[in-house]
Structure formats: C-alpha cells, structure tokens
Amino acid sequence: MSSPTTDPSTDAVTDSRVPVVPVARVEIDLAVGGMTCASCAARIEKKLNRMPDVVASVNYATGTAHVRYPAQLDPAELVATVERTGYTASLPPPPEPEPATSGAGGTTTADGRAADDRTAGADAATAALRQRLLISLALAVPVVTLSMIPTLQFDNWQWICFTLASPVAVWGAWPFHRAAAKNLRHGATTMDTLVSLGISAAYLWSLYALLFTPTGRTGYDMSMAGGGGAGDAMPGAARGADLYLEVASAVTVFLLAGRHAEARARRRSGAALRALLHLGAKDVVVLRRGPGGARVSERVPVQRLAVGDEFVVRPGEKVATDGVVVEGHSALDESMLTGEPMPVEAGPGDAVTGATVNTSGHLVVRATRVGADTRLAQIGRLVTAAQSGKAPVQRLADRVSGVFVPVVLVLALGTLVTWLVTTGDVRAAFTASVAVLVIACPCALGLATPTALLVGTGRGAQLGILIKGPEVLEQTRRADVVLLDKTGTVTQGRMSLSGVTAAEGSSDDEVLRLAGAVEAASEHSVGVALADAATSRLGALPAVSGFHAERGLGVRGTVAADPSARPPGEVRVGRPSWVAPGTDLPPALEQALADAEAAGRTAVAVGWDGRVRGVVALSDTLKPGSADAVRRLRDLGLRPVLLTGDNERSARAVAASVGIAPEDVVAGVLPEGKVDAVRALQAAGHVVAMVGDGVNDAAALAQADLGLAMGTGTDVAIEASDLTLVRGDLGSAADAVRLSRRTLATIKGNLFWAFAYNVAAIPLAATGVLNPLVAGGAMAFSSVFVVTNSLRLRRFAPQP
C-alpha cells in the first residue's frame, strides 16, 4: 500500500475559450473491508467514481481501492464515501520521518507495515470464519441426521434440534444476515440477501411451528407433519407444521464452507509482494571514516543504508542494495533477477543489483539507489500494478443473482399476496411463500463452485498442479498464446557438459581431467559444471596448486604429478586467446568452437605447455519432455512463444529443439521487457498465458491473463501466478490447462442445473403443489447432484 504521491497529470478543458489549467493529482491505495462478492467492489467503485475528478479501481481480490484524486481533495472524504456505501476503508499509514527503507525489498517501512497489518487482518478474519464453520458443522450434523432419519427420533427430539440449530441459523449465518442488512440499507440485493432470507424463513417458520402448533408436543415425529400442497386441510389437533431446521442448518454450513474457501484463496493475493520483501539482505557491513581517516566497519540494519554509503559484500552474502563496485573482483549470481544461470563478473566501476548473491570474491560497493528506487523494488511495483490492474472476475452465480434474487423476492411476496387474496388462508399463504424461498435458497448455487473447485484442485494436487481459485479457470478456456520462459522452464536452468574435443596428441579424458582439476577450485557456474562432469566420468581428480582466476579470461593452476603421465605443469581453462596467446587453433578445435557457438553453447579452451589441447562445451540442457509439452500445448489451441533474457542465438537453438518457430522467439529481455511483451500481445487482442519460474518472471506472470509457475522456481514467481506446476515439468502445463478447463465446465454445469432446478420448482412451490418439506428435500437433492457431478473430476487423468 503506497502513501499519496503527487502526479502532474492534467484534465483537458474542451472549451477553447477556457485555458487549460493543470490539475495536480494524488494516487492512494485504500484498504477496503466488508466486501463479500465482486458486486460489492463494483458498488464501491461506482460511488467513488461519482466524486468530481476522481478515478477509482476497486480490487475485490486484494481488498484495496486504487484512487486518483485532485490534490486539494481531503482523502478522508474518500474514506467517508466508502463508509457511506456500507463498507469500511482506511488510509495508508504515513511514512516514517527517517529514510527507513528495505534495500532489497524496496518498499517503504510504511508500505511494509501496511502490508503486514493487512495480512494480519486477513489471517484473523479467515481464522474466525474457519472457527464459525467448524462450530456450525458440529451443531448441524445431528440436526440433519435427526430430521432426515425418522427411526432416530425420540421424545422431544425437535426441541433438541431447535437448540442445536439456533446458534447455526443466528450466529453461524451472521455474516450473511449482516451483509444482507447492509445491502438493504443501501437499496441493493445480492446472494447474501437470498441466503439470509432463506435461512431466516426456514428457522422462523420452524420456531412458529414449535410454539404454536402440535409440532412442539412430546411424541411428535415427521409423520405427523402436514402433507400435500399448501392448501390441504390440516386439522390442527391431529397434525403439526413442517420443520425446516435442517434446511436452515445445512444451508448455513454449505455457504460458510464456500466463503471460507474463497477467503483462503483471497489471502494469497498479496503473497508475491510479501515474498519479494524477504529476498533482500537484513543487515550490512558499512565502512565509516574513523579517527585519522581510517576506515572502520560497522554492521547495521539495511534500513539505515543511505545513498553514497560504502558497504562490504563477502563471498556468499547478498548485495544489500543497488550500487557500483569500488574495490574487488567477483562473480555475482543474478539468476533471481535475470533467470539465467551464468554468474556475471563484477569489478571496480561495474554496477551491481541489490539482492544478487556474491559467489566468490570480496567486494566494496558504493550505494547508488536504496529503498523504493532499487531494481527489485521496481519489480515489486510491477507485480503489484499487474495484480491491481486486472478487472475483478465476477462469479457466474453473482452475475445471475443480480436478476435472480429480486425476481425470487417478488415471486415470494406475490405468492403470499395471491394466496391471501384468493383463499384468505393465512397459513396456506405463508406456507406457499416459504416454499418459494426454501426452494429458491441457493444451496446448490453455493456448492456449485466450491465443490467442483475442491475436487478439481485436489485431483490437481495429486498430479502436481495447484489451482489458486475459480477466477483462474475462465482464462484457461480463453487463452490462445502461451509465453514460455527458457531457463528453468524449458531447460534445466543449470550448466552441464555437452561435449569434449581433443587436439591431436591428447585424449578427451585427459582434457576433461585436467580442466576439471583446475576448475574444481572455481565457484563460477561453468567451472562447477565442468568439475562435476569430470568427477562423475573419471572419478577423483588430481590436486591443484597456485590456482588463480583472471577476471573475464579464465582460470589457471598447476596440476600435481600424475604417476601414469608426465605432469603438464600449468593448465589454463578459458578464452582461447588467453590460454595460448599468439598461437592458432588447430582446425578441429576451431570447428568445435564454431559449432558450440552456433548451437548457443558455452565453450572454453583447455591448454598447457603454451598450446590449446582441447575444447570443452557446456550448455543449459533441455528438460525431458519439453518438446512433447510444446506439442501438447499447441494441440490445446495455444501458440507457444519462447521468452527469455538469454541471447538470440541460444534462444533460437532452444526454440528449434522444442518445435517453436523462429518468429516466436523473444530474446534478450529484462523483467520489464517481459511485461511489455505480455502487454503487447494483450493489446493485439490475445489472451496470454505465461509459464515461468524466476523473480524476473513474477511481474509477467501477474500481468498475464493466466500465470503458470514452475514449482521448482522462486516463491515470488509461484505466488504471482495463477497455477503452480509442483513437479517443475513443462508437460504438466498442458495437463493444468486441461484440468482447469474441465473444472470450469463442471462449475458451469453445476450452475446450470442449480438454476434449472430453481426455474422448474419455483412455479410448483408458488402454486401450492410443492410444500416446504418437499422443497427442502428437492433442494437437498440438487446439492447431492452438484456434489456427485463434481466428484467426476476425480477420474481426470493426464495425457500419456
């Protein structure tokens, strides 16, 4: 959540006689509470946008309202407008007076505190809802059991049911009652309105029956209840009235379960930004000038770091913030930003990025950007902007309820009036109107999405596919382009040996053994991969003395004597011109280098005694099944596009090996460029899916219409995505799309039959053919049907 910032944007004045006067605008994020569905967000947004010169976008998923308003407007008026609409709102906390920043996380302390407060509030609300659900469930089970199984009914069982059902219908259903009352005060109706009325009608009618009819007498059982239509003769001395306590209890529990599942999904909406906050260094060693001008080191929290400060980065530590190297040489692992496995050499004068990892040497860095100005902070803002920029996905049930709920209320009232006018029988009139409310009570509607989502996501978890919420499912059906990150998604994301070529007079094993021995002391990813390959193929390697790394050129060292061969003395591994200065490469080795470069591989020369003796090639190898996965994605109607920060030659080589056309390769892009690529496709009318695994992919995953993160990737990418592929297998991306589409189809089928049942049964209830007891049974049957239909998803199987 950001503090207000002035934006010099202007509003154009259309009358040419009036000069254009710049209107200073301020942007602010309000925390909004009390929203229960997407229609709530739409209502708040509509009210805010009615204010003069105010532009607001309310995000139901994140519980925030992003507002741009004139600088002269008191932001408290925005809060007041939201509160008059029937919801709560709060301003972001003011920034602290000192420039306290998170060097790598990149958000102000106020922003971080606001995010933590919002998270704590969401956790507390979800925990309270879960407690309400569990208590209601425990009380509702015996009520439903006793009501539906006559053989279990004992003397005064109905009063036991009433005692157990009362807390459920009143306290358990309180969120629905409260939302319905709030909406009623503002002249609006939602599904909460119908839920509240249905529960209240069933409960209050049962209370009336217990107090004023023979239903409350000792010895009553369900066979003594009124039968037939609403107009049947019902001798009060012989028969009691129907009880609907099980209806009130079951509907409450079902709807609370759906609300709890939704709350858990919404809780994850801000997790991407929270994951970013944990990436950076927590403290840093700063160099200060002591007495006599001597430099003194002091370890301080990273929040106290300021522009111009010099700080130390030891091997294995994270760079505290963006800066420029003052002293030392090292290789920095920037994979969390670039997604590429190759560390980048850094020395005096080179720029470094906060939160990257120093893999080898000792560095002294001068801070150039801190807090919200850092590179990582910019990525964090991209993730936030992409998430808040998505239009709230309105659930199908909520969309239909805009018409369905008022119609049902009118029908229930019309039924009551019609029976009173035509028969004058108050009891028959009330019974028929209650039947309308009970049959229309959206129990099946409340189950339609949660049960299908529960079964679909459960089956997905067994297959290594995590679906975060129902709003994801529509995008899987509409997506027509899928962007694939290269490193860690299509490829393994780590270097491995791809070939050894020895010059005449040397053997492949000798070249690999000596190169691996020297590189064993290196921390560079090429050296580690080469040493691992040599050890794996040849076993223990000879010892090396005098190891030295030449920045940007290679490594050298003296290999210990080998009893089986003459010791070669100093061995060099690196650039050919450095390994053997002033000499020409043998034709075979020149060809090996050219072939490696053409294939997008990394090649190093190995030499001793002043000659190049061999060439070793390494590459980031394809993941097994990547080519087949691309084919399956194409079969689903998705056009695959390779998107990478790697160079063009390497990207095209990988694309060709998995069957992606050269024109569908976008290479050499930074995180901002990946977001731009997604936006460009969206602007062209495409619905974009994105598969990635790194921090550099997080903003693009959030911007995409459908984000799929590899479970082997970073937490930030996973939290910013809509679907997570736990196995890290690209092949599961196609299965994820198929499962999501199947789950969406099941939800739509559930909703259709739930509404079809209502449409068919409401007229029967209104005309007295269907009494409330049968209506309750029909409603229970519709719920069973919805659950049974959803359980079919358990048979979903991935394609071979």
Side-chain angles (χ1 to χ4, degrees):
M1 184 179 296
S2 61
S3 301
T5 57
T6 301
D7 178 12
S9 59
T10 62
D11 290 331
V13 180
T14 56
D15 190 342
S16 60
R17 296 171 297 176
V18 181
V20 177
V21 180
V23 178
R25 287 187 175 274
V26 174
E27 295 188 9
I28 194 172
D29 288 336
L30 303 177
V32 180
M35 294 189 293
T36 59
C37 61
S39 59
C40 297
R43 190 174 303 118
I44 298 170
E45 188 172 297
K46 184 177 180 180
K47 290 287 187 181
L48 287 173
N49 285 326
R50 284 180 178 175
M51 300 177 68
D53 298 321
V54 171
V55 179
S57 174
V58 181
N59 192 313
Y60 166 60
T62 59
T64 59
H66 184 75
V67 187
R68 295 177 67 242
Y69 63 96
Q72 66 271 20
L73 179 66
D74 186 351
E77 294 185 29
L78 301 173
V79 174
T81 298
V82 175
E83 292 175 344
R84 285 195 297 271
T85 311
Y87 304 88
T88 63
S90 60
L91 297 170
E96 295 185 353
E98 68 173 358
T101 55
S102 173
T107 61
T108 65
T109 303
D111 288 349
R113 189 170 70 251
D116 291 341
D117 291 344
R118 198 161 59 245
T119 300
D123 288 343
T126 303
L129 185 59
R130 181 173 183 271
Q131 182 184 48
R132 191 182 299 269
L133 168 62
L134 293 177
I135 294 174
S136 298
L137 177 63
L139 295 173
V141 168
V143 174
V144 174
T145 303
L146 287 173
S147 299
M148 303 302 292
I149 306 177
T151 56
L152 298 180
Q153 294 168 2
F154 47 84
D155 285 349
N156 296 317
W157 67 271
Q158 67 272 38
W159 289 101
I160 298 296
C161 286
F162 175 76
T163 302
L164 295 174
S166 293
V168 179
V170 179
W171 174 79
W174 181 247
F176 307 111
H177 299 323
R178 181 177 54 198
K182 183 186 300 181
N183 291 325
L184 186 61
R185 286 199 304 269
H186 296 86
T189 59
T190 63
M191 292 304 291
D192 287 324
T193 306
L194 201 55
V195 170
S196 178
L197 281 176
I199 294 172
S200 299
Y203 175 74
L204 293 175
W205 177 263
S206 300
L207 176 60
Y208 162 79
L210 288 172
L211 294 177
F212 301 109
T213 75
T215 300
R217 296 177 184 175
T218 301
Y220 168 82
D221 59 39
M222 294 299 288
S223 64
M224 300 175 63
D232 288 348
M234 300 176 64
R239 294 184 182 273
D242 300 322
L243 291 178
Y244 309 113
L245 295 172
E246 76 282 3
V247 173
S249 301
V251 169
T252 300
V253 170
F254 288 148
L255 271 295
L256 283 176
R259 186 67 57 86
H260 180 258
E262 180 179 301
R264 292 184 61 189
R266 289 179 58 202
R267 163 67 179 82
R268 294 193 291 264
S269 61
L273 195 56
R274 290 194 298 274
L276 280 174
L277 293 174
H278 292 291
L279 281 178
K282 301 301 183 291
D283 50 33
V284 58
V285 175
V286 180
L287 299 178
R288 310 286 191 192
R289 291 295 176 182
R295 290 199 302 185
V296 179
S297 63
E298 177 187 6
R299 183 170 290 276
V300 300
V302 74
Q303 289 84 357
R304 290 174 54 186
L305 197 61
V307 173
D309 284 347
E310 294 184 358
F311 58 93
V312 175
V313 188
R314 298 186 177 93
E317 290 184 340
K318 293 180 179 179
V319 179
T321 192
D322 296 357
V324 174
V325 176
V326 177
E327 299 176 12
H329 291 86
S330 183
L332 297 177
D333 180 2
E334 295 186 344
S335 59
M336 50 77 61
L337 283 176
T338 65
E340 299 308 317
M342 292 287 293
V344 177
E345 300 288 343
D350 291 334
V352 295
T353 305
T356 55
V357 179
N358 180 15
T359 64
S360 52
H362 182 281
L363 296 176
V364 176
V365 180
R366 180 184 299 112
T368 57
R369 291 184 293 186
V370 297
D373 296 327
T374 62
R375 179 77 172 279
L376 190 58
Q378 293 170 1
I379 295 177
R381 285 195 294 272
L382 284 172
V383 174
T384 303
Q387 286 183 337
S388 62
K390 288 183 178 179
V393 179
Q394 218 170 5
R395 304 192 189 282
L396 295 174
D398 284 328
R399 290 203 295 266
V400 177
S401 71
V403 176
F404 179 72
V405 175
V407 168
V408 170
L409 296 177
V410 170
L411 286 175
L413 181 60
T415 300
L416 179 66
V417 173
T418 301
W419 276 96
L420 288 175
V421 171
T422 57
T423 68
D425 188 337
V426 175
R427 184 171 182 179
F430 188 70
T431 300
S433 61
V434 168
V436 171
L437 282 175
V438 171
I439 200 69
C441 193
C443 181
L445 294 180
L447 287 170
T449 295
T451 54
L453 188 65
L454 181 65
V455 179
T457 54
R459 180 55 179 155
Q462 294 176 332
L463 302 174
I465 301 165
L466 302 182
I467 305 172
K468 290 194 174 179
E471 67 278 0
V472 173
L473 306 178
E474 284 193 60
Q475 303 305 334
T476 63
R477 177 180 57 84
R478 298 173 54 235
D480 59 349
V481 174
V482 56
L483 298 178
L484 304 176
D485 172 56
K486 181 180 75 70
T487 306
T489 301
V490 178
T491 64
Q492 297 283 5
R494 59 180 182 271
M495 304 296 289
S496 61
L497 183 68
S498 59
V500 180
T501 304
E504 186 177 352
S506 300
S507 68
D508 291 352
D509 285 352
E510 182 183 25
V511 170
L512 182 60
R513 179 177 63 85
L514 295 177
V518 177
E519 291 284 16
S522 172
E523 295 182 354
H524 196 283
S525 63
V526 171
V528 172
L530 207 160
D532 288 346
T535 302
S536 176
R537 181 184 295 187
L538 304 174
L541 302 175
V544 173
S545 60
F547 173 83
H548 183 72
E550 296 286 347
R551 179 173 176 264
L553 299 175
V555 296
R556 55 185 171 86
T558 301
V559 180
D562 187 342
S564 62
R566 180 180 62 84
E570 184 180 81
V571 176
R572 293 191 173 196
V573 183
R575 294 180 182 272
S577 59
W578 176 76
V579 170
T583 63
D584 295 329
L585 285 178
L589 299 187
E590 273 195 8
Q591 186 62 46
L593 280 172
D595 292 344
E597 291 177 357
R601 301 188 181 100
T602 297
V604 294
V606 183
W608 57 87
D609 292 342
R611 293 175 53 195
V612 176
R613 306 288 183 153
V615 169
V616 179
L618 302 102
S619 65
D620 183 8
T621 57
L622 288 177
K623 285 186 175 181
S626 288
D628 183 62
V630 170
R631 177 190 58 78
R632 291 169 56 196
L633 288 169
R634 189 178 283 109
D635 291 342
L636 288 169
L638 298 168
R639 168 188 156 206
V641 175
L642 190 67
L643 184 66
T644 179
D646 206 350
N647 63 77
E648 184 82 19
R649 179 178 292 173
S650 177
R652 287 184 178 273
V654 170
S657 62
V658 297
I660 296 177
E663 60 270 20
D664 286 333
V665 175
V666 181
V669 291
L670 295 175
E672 297 87 347
K674 293 188 176 184
V675 175
D676 291 340
V678 174
R679 287 174 177 164
L681 287 167
Q682 289 171 331
H686 295 288
V687 178
V688 180
M690 168 76 186
V691 186
D693 73 321
V695 173
N696 62 309
D697 301 319
L701 286 167
Q703 176 65 40
D705 300 287
L706 177 68
L708 298 92
M710 310 299 279
T712 52
T714 65
D715 290 342
V716 180
I718 292 171
E719 296 298 346
S721 66
D722 302 308
L723 290 156
T724 300
L725 312 178
V726 176
R727 299 196 307 269
D729 175 17
L730 184 60
S732 59
D735 293 328
V737 173
R738 289 180 55 244
L739 176 60
S740 298
R741 290 178 177 179
R742 181 80 61 82
T743 305
L744 177 63
T746 301
I747 291 174
K748 287 185 173 182
N750 288 346
L751 291 173
F752 170 79
W753 287 111
F755 279 113
Y757 137 85
N758 284 123
V759 170
I762 287 177
L764 298 177
T767 55
V769 176
L770 192 67
N771 72 9
L773 182 61
V774 178
M779 186 191 65
F781 173 77
S782 71
S783 301
V784 172
F785 173 81
V786 164
V787 173
T788 304
N789 189 44
S790 300
L791 288 176
R792 294 190 304 119
L793 289 169
R794 293 189 302 181
R795 299 198 295 267
F796 175 86
Q799 287 183 336

